[in-house]
Amino acid sequence: MSATIDIRFRLNGVDTEVSVPATMSALEMLRDRLDLTGTKYACGEGECGACTISVDGVTVNSCLMFAADCDGRELMTIEGLAASSVGEALRASFTRNGAVQCGFCTPGIMMQAHSVLQKHGSCEPADLKRTIEGNLCRCTGYVKIIDSMAEACVAADEGA
Amino acid sequence: MSDINNYVAPRSLDEAAEALRAGNVTLLAGGTDLMPQSRSGRTPLRPTLVNIRRIPELRGLSESGGTIRIGPLATITELRDSALVRERLQALWQACDSFASDQVRNAATIGGNICNASPAGDTLVPLLVLDAQVELASKPNGALAKRALPLADFVLGPGQTARASTELLSGIVVASSPEDFISSFFKFGTRPALDISMISIGFAARRAGKTLRDVRVAFGAVAPRPIRAPATEAALEGKALDDNVIGAAAKAADAEIHPISDVRASDWYRREMVRNMFTRMLTHVRDH
């Protein structure tokens, strides 16, 4: 049996305490311990981005992060984003543009899109494309995804 | 995945070195390599897992007394966002810019990339042409001791370094480059994001007009470890770049690399890519 570690962190704005095995990933902790199943498990190697979450304000692959390393940090998952006004704006834009097909990659892509909005990065489609280079969509809906991101990005810039 | 008996998250370099002294330790920084490697069984975790992320001495990026010091915990994103790196260490900046994906860059550390010692390690090739030194810390007799060695002597083979099991990487030091210093990095993979290099090339030199001095050339993914190429450097040293010199340098490079054929590319293709892309890099230097 692996050593168990007690960790505390802020998750979607709520103080959270959990005991995790030293070998558990942050993704497993979120899905299996905390029942936050919006964050998806797919490749498990940091290639596909379906498990993207935000840690201390930047996006990471939760499948590559040790759960123990969440101690003392600030996490946001798609559930946290969905409850915010930015999340609502992204959801509206993705819906309007038909950017959700099977939906599996959508949470990870929305987390990445949110990080662009937070950083006040460029809204140019070519630049947005680079920001989701770590997110794979097997339905190949990239054009609509980029359109949605650009729309939400411009709206955020205009303070809409 | 192996069992962990003990997990520690030291708050100082001293505490971390103490934990390493006890032996049987796996070091965790960003985790982006360690997690998949330990899951697949390629690098089984040792009984004690030491998370070094909270050690302030291992963070940051600073310039003083003619040297630039990079903390091993600096993430690839931190380096890519740094004006110091972008302006003074162009080859390293280019490597960070083409590194994996946003999510990986945000978590991966330069120290992890160095210690992982991949033949295709993105930051190793630029650090080789920047003549980087690595600093290792340990507590052999109860007191913290450090030793420095050139990066070229640190990376020994795939996943192999000169780091003793009781040591940890505590700093990366690069000489502050003079005004006439140029450096560049080229990486080729099948797609821009998240690909492991098929080949990579690092180039640095001081230049006066078309003449190059203090030339440094390194290649990645064409030998068991990223290598410096002394004969290629000699073919360029003190020369004014023209077609003949560039041709001779590309020929020398071809003789110095030892690519293998694997899932990513054949030996022939790697040689072809090194010759062509190195020629293109030198032509660009000549014309700009």
Side-chain angles (χ1 to χ4, degrees):
Chain A
M1 263 306 282
S2 270
T4 302
I5 306 132
D6 298 326
I7 55 171
R8 291 170 185 205
F9 51 94
R10 232 174 136 70
L11 174 61
N12 296 329
V14 179
D15 287 327
T16 306
E17 284 186 47
V18 56
S19 290
V20 292
T23 52
M24 183 177 255
S25 71
L27 174 62
E28 289 164 338
M29 175 185 76
L30 290 169
R31 291 182 57 86
D32 304 340
R33 288 294 174 84
L34 299 167
D35 208 24
L36 293 173
T37 53
T39 307
K40 302 303 182 204
Y41 171 71
C43 75
E45 296 193 331
E47 293 272 343
C48 76
C51 69
T52 302
I53 62 167
S54 163
V55 177
D56 292 338
V58 297
T59 50
V60 302
N61 298 113
S62 60
C63 73
L64 298 182
M65 185 178 185
F66 284 76
D69 201 25
C70 293
D71 189 42
R73 304 177 89 170
E74 175 115 27
L75 274 63
M76 184 171 73
T77 66
I78 188 68
E79 289 85 355
L81 177 62
S84 71
S85 57
V86 183
E88 273 175 34
L90 279 169
R91 182 166 47 201
S93 173
F94 273 62
T95 309
R96 206 161 36 240
N97 288 285
V100 178
Q101 294 185 50
C102 88
F104 196 83
C105 72
T106 309
I109 286 182
M110 284 200 174
M111 293 304 294
Q112 261 314 101
H114 172 248
S115 89
V116 179
L117 300 186
Q118 254 187 330
K119 275 192 223 160
H120 302 287
S122 154
C123 298
E124 287 302 313
D127 297 325
L128 292 170
K129 204 168 153 185
R130 266 215 78 180
T131 66
I132 57 156
E133 63 192 358
N135 295 79
L136 295 182
C137 164
R138 297 300 297 271
C139 304
T140 69
Y142 293 116
V143 172
K144 291 170 176 181
I145 289 167
I146 299 289
D147 287 349
S148 310
M149 286 173 68
E151 198 178 291
C153 191
V154 170
D157 267 5
E158 289 166 354
Chain B
M1 185 178 263
S2 33
D3 287 342
I4 306 289
N5 304 324
N6 193 13
Y7 171 87
V8 273
R11 297 278 183 164
S12 70
L13 188 54
D14 194 81
E15 275 178 48
E18 193 64 45
L20 281 162
R21 208 175 151 202
N24 262 328
V25 165
T26 300
L27 289 169
L28 162 66
T32 54
D33 276 324
L34 187 62
M35 183 67 93
Q37 284 174 1
S38 58
R39 295 263 156 145
S40 70
R42 268 177 294 156
T43 310
L45 296 174
R46 293 173 188 279
T48 300
L49 185 62
V50 177
N51 183 350
I52 58 172
R53 199 180 49 80
R54 296 239 182 115
I55 301 175
E57 295 109 298
L58 301 182
R59 299 197 159 276
L61 188 72
S62 59
E63 185 179 21
S64 70
T67 59
I68 295 171
R69 192 185 165 82
I70 304 170
L73 287 179
T75 64
I76 304 303
T77 297
E78 281 164 18
L79 298 174
R80 186 174 174 244
D81 288 349
S82 154
L84 185 63
V85 175
R86 197 177 61 243
E87 286 156 22
R88 309 294 292 279
L89 311 173
Q90 293 104 333
L92 181 61
W93 185 86
Q94 286 163 356
C96 292
D97 190 50
S98 64
F99 192 108
S101 65
D102 195 43
Q103 291 96 320
V104 174
R105 287 191 292 269
N106 286 338
T109 66
I110 187 166
N113 196 241
I114 293 171
C115 291
N116 195 41
S118 162
D122 278 331
T123 66
L124 293 170
V125 167
L127 287 172
L128 279 176
V129 296
L130 293 167
D131 261 346
Q133 296 255 324
V134 294
E135 191 185 88
L136 298 163
S138 63
K139 280 180 85 173
N141 310 305
L144 197 65
K146 288 185 181 175
R147 67 175 176 126
L149 71 164
L151 178 68
D153 298 338
F154 180 70
V155 179
L156 304 177
Q160 311 254 298
T161 68
R163 182 179 77 83
S165 62
T166 52
E167 290 179 314
L168 83 160
L169 181 64
S170 55
I172 300 127
V173 180
V174 179
S176 214
S177 40
E179 285 297 310
D180 57 355
F181 184 82
I182 52 161
S183 72
S184 61
F185 173 76
F186 171 83
K187 165 184 173 178
F188 180 73
T190 41
R191 66 188 185 106
L194 274 162
D195 211 356
I196 297 166
S197 291
M198 256 179 218
I199 61 137
S200 60
I201 307 173
F203 172 78
R206 297 180 67 168
R207 72 167 183 186
K210 287 194 180 355
T211 306
L212 303 177
R213 303 218 179 266
D214 196 11
V215 180
R216 302 163 201 174
V217 178
F219 297 109
V222 291
R225 60 189 178 119
I227 51 163
R228 278 283 288 268
T232 310
E233 292 172 356
L236 293 164
E237 186 64 40
K239 306 267 173 63
L241 278 181
D242 61 26
D243 285 348
N244 285 337
V245 170
I246 292 173
K251 205 170 210 176
D254 189 60
E256 274 186 300
I257 59 174
H258 306 281
I260 54 165
S261 295
D262 65 8
V263 288
R264 282 190 281 279
S266 67
D267 161 16
W268 176 88
Y269 188 71
R270 284 193 161 100
R271 284 188 180 282
E272 201 70 6
M273 281 304 293
V274 165
R275 271 199 306 264
N276 292 338
M277 297 321 298
F278 189 46
T279 300
R280 189 185 288 186
M281 281 172 89
L282 293 174
T283 308
H284 182 85
V285 169
R286 182 192 64 191
D287 298 342
H288 288 84

